[in-house]
Amino acid sequence: MSLLNQVMRLPYVHGLWMRFPVGDVSTKVHWGLYPYPYYAYGVYWSAFLAKRLAIPRITAIEFGVAGGRGLLALEKATMEIERALDVGIDVVGFDSGEGMPEPTDYRDLPHIWGRGFYQMDHAKLRARLSKARLVIGDVRETIAKEVRSGQLAPIGFVAFDLDYYSSTKAAFDVFEDDGPSHLPRVHCYFDDVAANDLGCMNKYVGELRAIHEFNAAHPTRKISIFEQLRLSRPKWEHWQKKMYVMHDFAHPQYTTQVIPLEPKHTQRPL
Ligand SMILES: C[S@@+](CC[C@H](N)C(=O)[O-])C[C@H]1O[C@@H](n2cnc3c(N)ncnc32)[C@H](O)[C@@H]1O
């Protein structure tokens, strides 16, 4: 085990490093030294993929902004990652601006969430944002206009935190256009696919139901959990079960070879 691995097992080291986040971006992403480490992970690897595909700019989206804690974390991480990888990253947050809408039926899990939960303080949030763009309105109306404006760089990372089945299903409209509008594999984070002691998440309701229906309706596009992500990470983190990838198997660049051609990837010593 490397010295760094041993040091990181000591109590308080992770917290101390978080307070004084020195080191290069890839090391910090690896050790999860970000307030939303799953956003940093998804954005880093989508930007890395874009670089390998010679795509100079991508879009990172958060669906469901509320107070803005996540969007601010996403913005900060992307600013470091775009500098490190030399790939431009636009950040867009979608939210109603007035909290959760009325749930449609049991699939929206009204036993957990209801109208008006998670209000946004517009003035406070806008004062703190530096580059992220807010798209205010119900996603059922805003997405199509935004995505089909022709102004978005290819979508590389999406965080889904709209809680409801109906809102998440509507948000999947971002994956409806042809290849160039998104990377061949789009890193996704789903906040509400796991646990919740009283909510009891399952595939018949909420985000999981929306994912199952998307997959059933799209023969060559699948949203699939990132299998065995734990193997790429130095330790278990609860969010590893919330990382998915939207695979567009018919994307013109899906089969483009992207692993760096370095001996560690291409040679098998005896
Ligand atoms: C749990 S909060 C998001 C929290 C945020 N991602 C964070 O990490 O701080 C869920 C948000 O989804 C938004 N939302 C849910 N359904 C929506 C819809 N149909 N259109 C727009 N926003 C919606 C609500 O306004 C609410 O602010």
Side-chain angles (χ1 to χ4, degrees), residues 79-178:
M79 287 195 282
E80 287 186 24
I81 293 164
E82 64 183 351
R83 271 199 305 273
L85 294 180
D86 196 23
V87 172
I89 308 171
D90 298 326
V91 181
V92 188
F94 288 82
D95 199 278
S96 69
E98 47 196 41
M100 299 294 291
E102 200 66 53
T104 311
D105 57 31
Y106 75 95
R107 293 171 295 179
D108 284 346
L109 300 137
H111 60 289
I112 313 178
W113 301 295
R115 184 181 181 82
F117 279 37
Y118 312 125
Q119 297 281 333
M120 173 184 289
D121 182 334
H122 290 250
K124 204 167 162 188
L125 178 55
R126 284 187 195 277
R128 292 189 59 192
L129 289 174
S130 39
K131 65 176 261 188
R133 203 157 52 79
L134 270 178
V135 178
I136 298 295
D138 194 304
V139 293
R140 285 166 276 216
E141 279 130 39
T142 54
I143 292 180
K145 191 161 156 252
E146 192 62 29
V147 173
R148 264 126 241 146
S149 67
Q151 303 299 310
L152 285 191
I155 296 163
F157 170 75
V158 187
F160 291 93
D161 193 7
L162 294 162
D163 301 359
Y164 287 168
Y165 153 80
S166 59
S167 303
T168 308
K169 190 172 166 85
F172 286 160
D173 193 17
V174 285
F175 296 142
E176 287 301 333
D177 286 354
D178 285 343

Side-chain angles (χ1 to χ4, degrees), residues 44-54 183-187 258:
Y44 180 84
W45 285 106
S46 57
F48 197 96
L49 173 61
K51 196 172 176 69
R52 298 295 303 163
L53 294 173
L183 299 189
R185 289 168 290 282
V186 180
H187 285 263
V258 290

